[in-house]
Amino acid sequence: MFQRFKTPWAVLLLGLSAPLAAAPRVDVDYRVRFLPDSDQAEVTLTLERGQALRYLDFSLGDKGYYSDFQAQGEWLQSSPEHGVWRPQEGKAQLTYRVKISHPRANGRFDARMTPDWALLRGDDLVPAAKIDVQDDVELVSRLQFELPEGWQSVETGWPRVGKNRFRIDNPERRFDRPTGWILAGKLGTRRASLGKTDVAVAAPVGEGVRRMDILTLLTFVWPHAQAVFPREPDKLLIVGAGDPMWRGGLSAPNSLYMHRDRPLVSENGTSSLVHELVHVFSRISDTDSSDWITEGIAEYYAIELMRRAGGLSEDRYQKVREQLTRWSRKVTSLRGEQASGPVTARAVLLLQDLDAEIRQASGNRHSLDDVTRGLMRLDKASTRDFVQVSENLLGGPSKVLDTRLLR
């Protein structure tokens, strides 16, 4: 009996012990050459094996920022907004130029290039694309910069793997492209290790960005952010500049931008820097006219993390609530595609009240932190999702959420 099964069992055991075949890896190299004289960058995308990709269908937008396409293989551009590249077999390249500076109607800039530096988002260097790739192929992407004479360095939110070279790896995408903020030129940079994250704060020389102030504030709030969010980036880049750059803050999954003149802590007790940091940590996105969730949670923790870090006393916290109440007194609904300042303020008040309700119902075992962690597991969060997650935690209906504000 044992002899009869000896060979099959041996074969089975050998099969179980053998490593699974690794997916074939194909290199994707991006080379970026900044051209300050023309306010452009020349981008070259190189595929190690062009046959691994059947096509890339790029969304080029309606601003006319992309031009001078040259392709090995076939390039078809049926309209200014779309272009399709079908690479040739073997090594294949696509080269084009992209305008760097993006002016706004008010004379400010979302991205800007000067003779000494460039501040932009990688999302604009390589536009979003639909991709048709062979099954089981793993694309391995790297980003290399060629800097003009006199430009000293370049910073991105991706790990550095060589001189001006970075590894791009986004498990959520099949087509890895260099998303997030990029700063190149004559720079000043300060670095620190906070938790498991390598943090770099960079700005062009002479722009007056208070790099050490930013690092100091982050050092205070970081442990409290770690306690809330079960996710930390391996690397975080914070960039900034002065006028005429846009006077605000904007985050990406691995980086964020802050205008030089934005206060680290505003007179109302909140912090734009911590607000954007929460976006980086939580990466909560919304759907179904529920932007109040994304912006409300970011602003709630911009106050709450400062409070937990000891930077906001109880009497100051109550004054913040009074200010939020006055600012949002005319708000009748939180629903909408883009939350205004008053709507965000009213959302913070609702979240603070919900936190108190959860703590009381659970004997302080749970809080809004648990709701936030639940929302982080969703691809997109709707108002209905928010209510369901909260009431599952409460074990029944919420009095706070039974409001016309959410209808």
Side-chain angles (χ1 to χ4, degrees):
M1 289 291 292
F2 292 103
Q3 281 293 106
R4 181 181 301 175
F5 291 98
K6 182 177 181 180
T7 300
W9 273 110
V11 171
L12 176 60
L13 290 172
L14 284 172
L16 290 173
S17 63
L20 296 175
R25 296 161 63 93
V26 175
D27 287 338
V28 180
D29 290 301
Y30 302 100
R31 184 172 292 272
V32 177
R33 185 164 65 97
F34 288 114
L35 307 169
D37 290 343
S38 62
D39 190 24
Q40 291 180 310
E42 182 182 79
V43 180
T44 300
L45 192 164
T46 302
L47 288 173
E48 176 191 14
R49 290 195 298 113
Q51 61 268 31
L53 273 69
R54 299 179 182 90
Y55 66 78
L56 280 166
D57 184 352
F58 292 98
S59 297
L60 304 178
D62 58 1
K63 302 293 186 181
Y65 289 148
Y66 303 94
S67 63
D68 302 311
F69 287 91
Q70 300 179 33
Q72 292 179 331
E74 182 181 46
W75 174 256
L76 297 174
Q77 193 166 351
S78 57
S79 72
E81 290 81 13
H82 285 280
V84 178
W85 179 36
R86 300 181 187 276
Q88 69 179 17
E89 292 191 3
K91 186 176 181 179
Q93 288 187 336
L94 174 70
T95 300
Y96 57 90
R97 290 195 174 192
V98 55
K99 177 178 171 60
I100 298 299
S101 297
H102 292 183
R104 297 166 67 98
N106 59 5
R108 304 290 178 180
F109 287 83
D110 291 330
R112 187 169 180 243
M113 178 181 277
T114 76
D116 294 325
W117 52 267
L119 175 56
L120 66 150
R121 294 213 295 174
D123 313 54
D124 297 322
L125 279 180
V126 182
K130 297 177 182 178
I131 185 171
D132 187 355
V133 63
Q134 289 182 355
D135 293 340
D136 299 327
V137 166
E138 180 186 357
L139 301 178
V140 180
S141 301
R142 298 177 185 87
L143 173 64
Q144 178 76 50
F145 291 92
E146 293 183 18
L147 302 181
E149 184 177 356
W151 288 29
Q152 300 164 343
S153 61
V154 58
E155 297 287 349
T156 80
W158 300 101
R160 192 182 297 270
V161 293
K163 182 175 176 58
N164 300 332
R165 195 173 190 224
F166 303 86
R167 170 74 168 95
I168 311 299
D169 184 17
N170 187 345
E172 298 174 2
R173 301 174 183 267
R174 295 208 71 184
F175 177 47
D176 285 333
R177 60 191 186 105
T179 54
W181 287 96
I182 294 171
L183 180 63
K186 300 176 181 178
L187 312 180
T189 304
R190 296 291 182 267
R191 306 180 192 277
S193 294
L194 299 178
K196 299 178 181 179
T197 303
D198 293 327
V199 179
V201 182
V205 172
E207 287 295 300
V209 174
R210 297 177 176 85
R211 295 181 290 270
M212 286 305 298
D213 291 2
I214 292 172
L215 276 181
T216 300
L217 178 58
L218 289 180
T219 301
F220 280 119
V221 303
W222 200 275
H224 303 279
Q226 282 182 294
V228 176
F229 306 103
R231 176 192 295 146
E232 289 182 82
D234 293 330
K235 182 178 178 181
L236 174 65
L237 171 67
I238 300 174
V239 297
D243 294 341
M245 287 297 293
W246 178 58
R247 285 176 166 266
L250 189 63
S251 62
N254 57 7
S255 54
L256 63 89
Y257 158 83
M258 292 292 300
H259 188 274
R260 173 195 64 198
D261 292 339
R262 292 295 299 173
L264 295 184
V265 181
S266 302
E267 287 296 321
N268 64 3
T270 188
S271 168
S272 296
L273 175 65
V274 180
H275 179 109
E276 298 303 330
L277 181 69
V278 172
H279 282 310
V280 173
F281 268 94
S282 72
R283 298 178 65 180
I284 293 172
S285 59
D286 56 82
T287 186
D288 191 27
S289 299
S290 299
D291 191 48
W292 72 270
I293 297 174
T294 304
E295 292 304 314
I297 285 177
E299 190 69 357
Y300 168 84
Y301 283 108
I303 298 168
E304 184 65 19
L305 294 180
M306 292 283 293
R307 183 190 191 193
R308 296 180 189 182
L312 197 64
S313 64
E314 187 60 29
D315 64 327
R316 174 55 59 186
Y317 175 76
Q318 294 303 326
K319 289 180 180 178
V320 168
R321 276 185 58 89
E322 292 170 6
Q323 291 173 330
L324 293 173
T325 301
R326 287 194 298 270
W327 194 16
S328 63
R329 66 184 182 278
K330 295 183 180 179
V331 173
T332 58
S333 175
L334 298 182
R335 306 296 295 276
E337 295 299 326
Q338 188 168 4
S340 65
V343 166
T344 299
R346 187 63 187 87
V348 172
L349 292 171
L350 181 139
L351 295 174
Q352 290 174 343
D353 292 343
L354 178 62
D355 177 68
E357 183 181 31
I358 295 172
R359 289 179 183 275
Q360 182 177 14
S362 67
N364 227 28
R365 294 190 305 275
H366 299 293
S367 69
L368 188 73
D369 295 355
D370 299 288
V371 176
T372 300
R373 288 189 281 266
L375 297 176
M376 289 173 63
R377 299 187 182 97
L378 304 178
D379 291 334
K380 290 182 180 294
S382 68
T383 298
R384 175 177 290 186
D385 294 327
F386 183 90
V387 173
Q388 184 174 17
V389 170
S390 301
E391 293 189 340
N392 283 344
L393 191 64
L394 282 164
S398 166
K399 294 180 180 178
V400 171
L401 300 181
D402 183 16
T403 170
R404 63 175 182 154
L405 290 169
L406 302 184
R407 301 189 184 110

